[in-house]
Amino acid sequence: MSTTAVASGEEHELALLLGGRCRRCAEKIPGGAVLRGRPCPRCDEQTLPSPTDREVLHQLATERASARLWVAVTVVAVASLAASWFPLLTSLLLVAALLWIRVTMVKPALQLLTPQRRQVSQLTLRLAAGCFVAAAILLGEVLTFIPAVGALAKVVLSTGQVAAAGIFARRYLAWQTEREARGIPMARWEVVLLVGFLTSLLVFTVGSVMLLWWLFEKLGVLRGLLSSLVGG
């Protein structure tokens, strides 16, 4: 067999393992099996018994996440130049970018974790994303009403928020997958972190709702809607 064929086969096996599937039968394997070197429960194929191989898989997952993050940052930066003049559009771009990060970065990494660690990690990242979105609405929409400088500031702010959210998600997941590979159990303070994010989300959400109410009143949306309801 040629060297190219061998390399191609190894890449295919790594792609399967990164997707949470067995490298022989391509069936789904339990979370944490690859990073802990456990065999496939269906065909008994070894996943990655060597600690070195597991470290390589961890590094590949981190590098892939980084590449996908900068795709999202670039797209948001370009799209924000056109959307920054209009209320709410930039915030919608941020939401779309966070969904991209979730599908392309977060979901594949979560498949490598055990169920308990996956649930805590997923909830932590969802609350963190909620904080980013609420903060974007709270800070970004105010800039819409600042002539010239406001639009440019929104581009910088939204791009920075996507980069910050993506870097946080990437580093958090890299930290969790590394702990998974070493067999380190969940820590109690990770649950405390969830409470902190939840409190921040509530504060940002209340502020965002108040800001949106003021914004719609400023645009006359609520006034027109209430008038039509009363008139009808």
Side-chain angles (χ1 to χ4, degrees), residues 162-184:
V162 172
I167 289 171
F168 171 78
R170 185 193 65 188
R171 290 185 176 177
Y172 177 78
L173 289 169
W175 176 71
Q176 287 288 26
T177 52
E178 184 179 6
R179 285 162 62 84
E180 190 74 80
R182 294 182 180 181
I184 302 174

Side-chain angles (χ1 to χ4, degrees), residues 107-183:
K107 192 175 179 181
L110 290 176
Q111 293 177 343
L112 300 174
L113 306 178
T114 51
Q116 183 184 10
R117 194 185 297 274
R118 184 191 308 136
Q119 289 175 1
V120 172
S121 300
Q122 188 174 41
L123 186 54
T124 299
L125 291 174
R126 282 181 177 177
L127 289 174
C131 291
F132 274 107
V133 172
I137 296 174
L138 191 61
L139 301 175
E141 299 313 320
V142 174
L143 297 173
T144 304
F145 299 97
I146 302 177
V149 179
L152 181 60
K154 283 185 72 174
V155 174
V156 175
L157 178 65
S158 59
T159 305
Q161 284 174 321
V162 172
I167 289 171
F168 171 78
R170 185 193 65 188
R171 290 185 176 177
Y172 177 78
L173 289 169
W175 176 71
Q176 287 288 26
T177 52
E178 184 179 6
R179 285 162 62 84
E180 190 74 80
R182 294 182 180 181

Side-chain angles (χ1 to χ4, degrees), residues 76 88-102 129 132-134 136-137 162:
V76 169
L88 300 181
L89 281 184
T90 305
S91 296
L92 292 177
L93 280 174
L94 175 62
V95 172
L98 291 178
L99 287 175
W100 162 265
I101 290 173
R102 179 179 180 274
F132 274 107
V133 172
I137 296 174
V162 172

